[in-house]
């Protein structure tokens, strides 16, 4: 995030986060990428000890009472460690806690949010299933009402943090007869009898984040663990899409940044044909475009964060969040690829971290809603906004400014 857009308190927090990031052992990052570490518990415990997680939540529940702009800054800075580090940092502190803070009871916040933000508990969000990811309403996991509790059965997969989680935020079908948006309920499910982590995926990148398949075999869950209302998961899902997609976009900037920094340093030292290669436009113009894309990404993130902080109308937030997720993730993938390109063959090796960054960032446009789904949302909201603006006569009718705007029989629709 641009420093001149941050408050003094946010700047001080940025320095705290940077000190934390510098203290993380390089061997941990290497071991995670080699699948020797399946979940970075010590990393999250230390973040909790430093009170770095969930900075926008109220102080009474363990946060710092700050805003989304500051949150985006934190996610970018943590992302410098690698995309999966920011993912594991964000899943519990920014996704699961967000649902409980906004929709949960004070008892739930005391039991689940406070210890998570202290680094004493770990959590994972369980949404994607073997037969559905973006199709939220296609959930096959069921919760059977047994009076004072539910029995949850089903499977979730690609669950980041699943290996290390102490509890899970689970969406399940509680009314088979209701229309889709009134059929699901959100639950907090403690790890215990009937909860099985059956498979840790072999991933192209983003390794070490405990991505797992979670199987729920008639798991007993108290009704006190419902988040929000019975059959009210749609409301939880809608608010969760803000931290899930906006947080994803912000962390992607941090994960791409080291690739450009490494490539910039390399191209100022590497010599060819008698001069350093940054003196060639074929190299420097690619670096310039990458720098431009990072700054454009930060600008979009800041604008969207301000919209959320100012509580503008929900439909507009949906569009801005979707635009941010799509634009920023694709821009940062381009940044990483251009960084590799200007470094040549050495960028494709493990001598430098750029190849890992390229592998990791491929996930960015897939998870938390594919970028194709983001385009679907953007298009729908944009058309609705334009129709409403025309109806209200809010803007000039520029269509009539053409010389032959009123030509007969030409505008045939």
């Amino acid at each position: 995030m641009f420093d001149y857009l941050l408050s003094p308190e946010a700047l001080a927090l940025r320095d705290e986060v940077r000190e934390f990031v510098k203290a993380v052992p390089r061997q941990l990052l290497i071991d995670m990428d080699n699948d020797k570490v399946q979940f970075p518990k010590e990393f999250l415990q230390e973040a909790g000890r430093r009170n770095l997680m969930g900075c926008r939540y109220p102080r009474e529940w363990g946060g710092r009472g700050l805003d989304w702009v500051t949150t985006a800054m934190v996610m970018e800075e943590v992302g410098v460690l690698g995309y999966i580090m920011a993912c594991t940092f964000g899943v519990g502190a920014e996704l699961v806690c967000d649902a409980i803070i906004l929709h949960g009871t004070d008892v739930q916040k005391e039991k689940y949010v406070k210890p998570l933000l202290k680094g004493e508990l770990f959590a994972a969000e369980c949404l994607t299933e073997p037969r559905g990811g973006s199709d939220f309403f296609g959930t096959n996991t069921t919760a059977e009402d047994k009076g004072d509790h539910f029995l949850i059965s089903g499977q979730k997969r690609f669950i980041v943090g699943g290996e290390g989680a102490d509890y899970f935020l689970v969406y399940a079908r509680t009314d088979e007869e209701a229309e889709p948006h009134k059929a699901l309920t959100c639950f907090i499910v403690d790890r215990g009898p009937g909860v099985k982590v059956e498979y840790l995926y072999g991933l192209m990148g983003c390794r070490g984040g405990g991505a797992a398949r979670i199987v729920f075999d008639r798991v007993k869950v108290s009704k006190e663990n419902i988040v929000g209302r019975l059959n009210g998961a749609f409301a939880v899902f809608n608010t969760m899409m803000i931290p899930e997609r906006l947080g994803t976009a912000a962390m992607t900037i941090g994960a791409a940044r080291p690739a450009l920094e490494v490539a910039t340093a390399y191209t100022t030292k590497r010599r060819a044909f008698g001069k350093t290669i940054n003196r060639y436009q074929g190299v420097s113009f690619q670096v310039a475009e990458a720098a431009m894309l990072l700054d454009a990404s930060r600008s979009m993130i800041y604008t969207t964060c301000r919209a959320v902080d100012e509580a503008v109308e929900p439909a507009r937030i949906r569009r801005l969040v979707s635009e941010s997720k799509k634009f920023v993730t694709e821009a940062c993938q381009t940044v990483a690829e251009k960084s590799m390109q200007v470094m040549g063959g050495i960028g494709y090796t493990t001598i430098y971290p750029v190849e890992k960054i390229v592998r990791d960032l491929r996930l960015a446009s897939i998870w938390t809603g594919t970028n194709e789904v983001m385009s679907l949302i953007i298009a729908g909201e944009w058309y609705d906004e334009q129709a409403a603006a025309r109806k209200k006569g809010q803007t000039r009718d520029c269509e009539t400014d053409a010389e032959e705007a009123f030509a007969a029989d030409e505008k045939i629709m």
Side-chain angles (χ1 to χ4, degrees):
M1 186 61 69
F2 302 114
D3 54 3
Y4 51 82
L5 296 176
L6 297 174
S7 67
E9 190 173 7
L11 286 170
L13 176 58
R14 184 194 64 180
D15 292 342
E16 288 184 53
V17 178
R18 286 182 173 177
E19 286 302 313
F20 167 62
V21 166
K22 287 191 290 186
V24 173
R26 66 180 288 274
Q27 194 60 46
L28 173 62
L29 309 182
I30 294 168
D31 287 347
M32 288 174 67
D33 193 45
N34 289 324
D35 279 328
K36 293 179 180 178
V37 172
Q38 294 181 336
F39 184 72
K41 283 189 176 183
E42 293 81 5
F43 163 74
L44 295 174
Q45 287 168 340
E46 183 60 25
R49 280 193 288 269
R50 297 182 185 224
N51 190 213
L52 299 179
M53 296 194 287
C55 71
R56 72 180 182 278
Y57 301 134
R59 294 180 183 275
E60 64 181 307
W61 305 121
R64 297 194 185 207
L66 300 174
D67 56 12
W68 253 108
V69 171
T70 307
T71 298
M73 173 276 295
V74 171
M75 296 310 297
E76 176 181 342
E77 295 299 332
V78 174
V80 169
L81 287 166
Y83 199 55
I84 192 57
M85 302 301 276
C87 292
T88 55
F89 182 95
V91 162
E94 304 301 333
L95 300 186
V96 175
C97 284
D98 209 75
I100 301 173
I101 289 285
L102 293 176
H103 300 276
T105 65
D106 285 354
V107 172
Q108 291 171 346
K109 294 170 192 176
E110 188 71 37
K111 182 177 180 181
Y112 294 106
V113 172
K114 271 190 171 182
L116 189 148
L117 296 183
K118 290 179 181 178
E120 297 169 356
L121 287 180
F122 311 105
E125 181 198 25
C126 295
L127 194 155
T128 301
E129 297 191 353
R131 290 185 178 176
S134 297
D135 181 12
F136 172 69
F137 295 117
T139 296
N140 290 313
T141 298
T142 60
E144 184 182 354
D145 193 339
K146 290 295 185 180
D148 64 342
H149 67 276
F150 284 87
L151 292 179
I152 295 182
S153 299
Q155 294 185 26
K156 305 288 183 175
R157 73 172 177 180
F158 306 148
I159 306 305
V160 173
E163 165 66 12
D166 297 296
Y167 69 92
F168 306 87
L169 194 74
V170 180
Y171 296 92
R173 190 171 300 281
T174 44
D175 191 335
E176 296 290 351
E177 307 300 324
E179 52 190 295
H181 71 282
K182 296 179 180 179
L184 307 181
T185 301
C186 182
F187 297 90
I188 299 170
V189 180
D190 293 303
R191 191 166 191 149
V195 178
K196 305 172 186 174
V197 180
E198 287 205 326
Y199 182 68
L200 291 173
Y201 293 93
L203 303 175
M204 170 183 171
C206 287
R207 300 167 186 157
R213 173 178 291 175
I214 313 297
V215 178
F216 302 97
D217 183 11
R218 294 180 64 79
V219 180
K220 184 177 179 180
V221 179
S222 169
K223 288 191 171 180
E224 294 178 354
N225 278 29
I226 291 175
V227 179
R229 298 180 297 102
L230 179 66
N231 301 323
F234 183 51
V236 180
F237 174 80
N238 270 342
T239 55
M240 288 284 284
M241 289 305 100
I242 296 173
E244 189 158 282
R245 291 165 180 169
L246 185 52
T248 289
M251 70 176 69
T252 311
I253 298 172
R257 197 172 90 195
L260 182 57
E261 291 172 351
V262 168
T264 300
Y266 179 84
T267 56
T268 59
K269 293 181 284 188
R270 178 74 161 90
R271 298 181 66 85
F273 305 104
K275 55 185 176 181
T276 55
I277 61 175
N278 68 317
R279 303 289 297 278
Y280 297 104
Q281 291 180 347
V283 171
S284 64
F285 281 13
Q286 292 195 66
V287 171
E289 184 175 348
M292 176 188 70
L293 287 173
L294 278 186
D295 279 347
S297 296
R298 291 189 183 100
S299 298
M300 179 167 273
I301 290 297
Y302 175 77
T303 301
T304 304
C305 287
R306 282 296 306 273
V308 177
D309 285 335
E310 298 298 325
V312 304
E313 58 271 25
R316 196 171 188 187
I317 287 178
R318 273 195 300 276
R319 177 169 68 81
L320 289 171
V321 167
S322 300
E323 287 175 354
S324 294
K325 198 271 181 180
K326 177 178 170 60
F327 176 82
V328 173
T329 56
E330 292 175 3
C332 288
Q333 287 170 342
T334 299
V335 168
E337 288 161 7
K338 285 187 176 297
S339 298
M340 177 179 283
Q341 189 68 25
V342 298
M343 292 181 69
I346 198 72
Y348 193 68
T349 73
T350 56
I351 301 298
Y352 288 95
V354 178
E355 62 84 25
K356 176 182 179 295
I357 294 170
V358 170
R359 283 190 286 111
D360 287 351
L361 288 186
R362 189 60 189 88
L363 175 64
S365 55
I366 297 173
W367 84 313
T368 70
T370 66
N371 282 11
E372 290 72 24
V373 170
M374 298 305 101
S375 293
L376 184 68
I377 296 170
I378 295 163
E381 298 298 348
W382 175 255
Y383 275 107
D384 287 348
E385 283 180 33
Q386 292 298 297
R390 286 194 300 271
K391 188 175 181 180
K392 295 177 182 177
Q394 291 177 330
T395 58
R396 178 184 178 86
D397 183 5
C398 296
E399 184 179 323
T400 64
D401 291 341
E403 184 175 349
E404 296 185 73
F406 302 102
D409 301 325
E410 290 301 326
K411 293 183 178 179
I412 300 170
M413 304 299 180

